[in-house]
Amino acid sequence: MTITLAAILSLITGLIGAVFGHVLSEKKSRNDELAKMRLDAYTDFLKATSLLVSARRSGRIQDEIAELGALNDAKSRICVCADAGVVEALESFWLQGGTLEKEQEILAYTRLCRAMRESLGRDDLSHGIRLSDILFRLEPSTFSYRRKASDG
């Protein structure tokens, strides 16, 4: 009787372990898919924003339907799959104007980038790092027009 009981207990334990392992595996798979969707949405949003801002800064103010469509698609995916902090930062950026033409828009965009970074599990950047300068300066601080002119 004890051998039969031991066999039944091991069978039940094995079955519980298999079910538990399957549940954890499914949860990890869903989390991995969500993380990929989030990263793709962030990438597409940053790319679409960059294209529109570059176009506006170069004087083209007619937004192409495809560019606006890509931006709105990325925003929608962020609203669906991102953490609450990222959606709140996106809302703040968008309500500020979303054009990156004014200082408050640039600061809101910088906060959005920090929130995206944090949601991806990256270390929080210290506020000593001037992320706005990294994102929006056209040339590095060591760039010299004189050196460029003398090279040519």
Side-chain angles (χ1 to χ4, degrees):
M1 189 77 157
T2 58
I3 294 175
T4 306
L5 185 59
I8 291 173
L9 283 176
S10 2
L11 184 63
I12 291 172
T13 303
L15 186 60
I16 290 172
V19 168
F20 188 66
H22 177 73
V23 168
L24 289 178
S25 174
E26 286 292 316
K27 185 174 182 172
K28 183 184 180 331
S29 176
R30 273 185 267 130
N31 285 340
D32 289 347
E33 288 178 29
L34 181 61
K36 183 180 179 343
M37 282 179 55
R38 186 181 311 133
L39 182 60
D40 290 345
Y42 293 171
T43 302
D44 292 345
F45 175 80
L46 296 171
K47 181 179 178 183
T49 302
S50 177
L51 286 172
L52 284 171
V53 168
S54 296
R56 287 213 173 115
R57 286 185 179 177
S58 68
R60 185 174 63 88
I61 57 172
Q62 303 85 1
D63 297 323
E64 298 292 325
I65 298 297
E67 291 172 349
L68 288 174
L71 180 65
N72 286 324
D73 172 63
K75 282 190 319 184
S76 298
R77 288 184 284 140
I78 288 171
C79 289
V80 169
C81 66
D83 297 337
V86 175
V87 176
E88 290 166 1
L90 174 61
E91 176 192 32
S92 175
F93 168 66
W94 203 249
L95 293 178
Q96 293 289 330
T99 62
L100 296 171
E101 294 174 358
K102 299 177 200 152
E103 184 178 359
Q104 68 263 19
E105 295 172 12
I106 290 172
L107 293 174
Y109 187 78
T110 302
R111 286 190 295 274
L112 175 58
C113 289
R114 286 180 183 275
M116 287 176 176
R117 180 180 168 81
E118 186 179 328
S119 82
L120 293 171
R122 306 307 307 156
D123 296 334
D124 190 21
L125 295 173
S126 75
H127 288 287
I129 295 177
R130 295 183 316 250
L131 193 56
S132 293
D133 287 346
I134 295 169
L135 293 171
F136 298 107
R137 275 192 140 170
L138 297 179
E139 292 92 13
S141 60
T142 59
F143 184 80
S144 170
Y145 287 104
R146 281 184 259 157
R147 189 173 67 215
K148 185 176 179 186
S150 68
D151 290 344

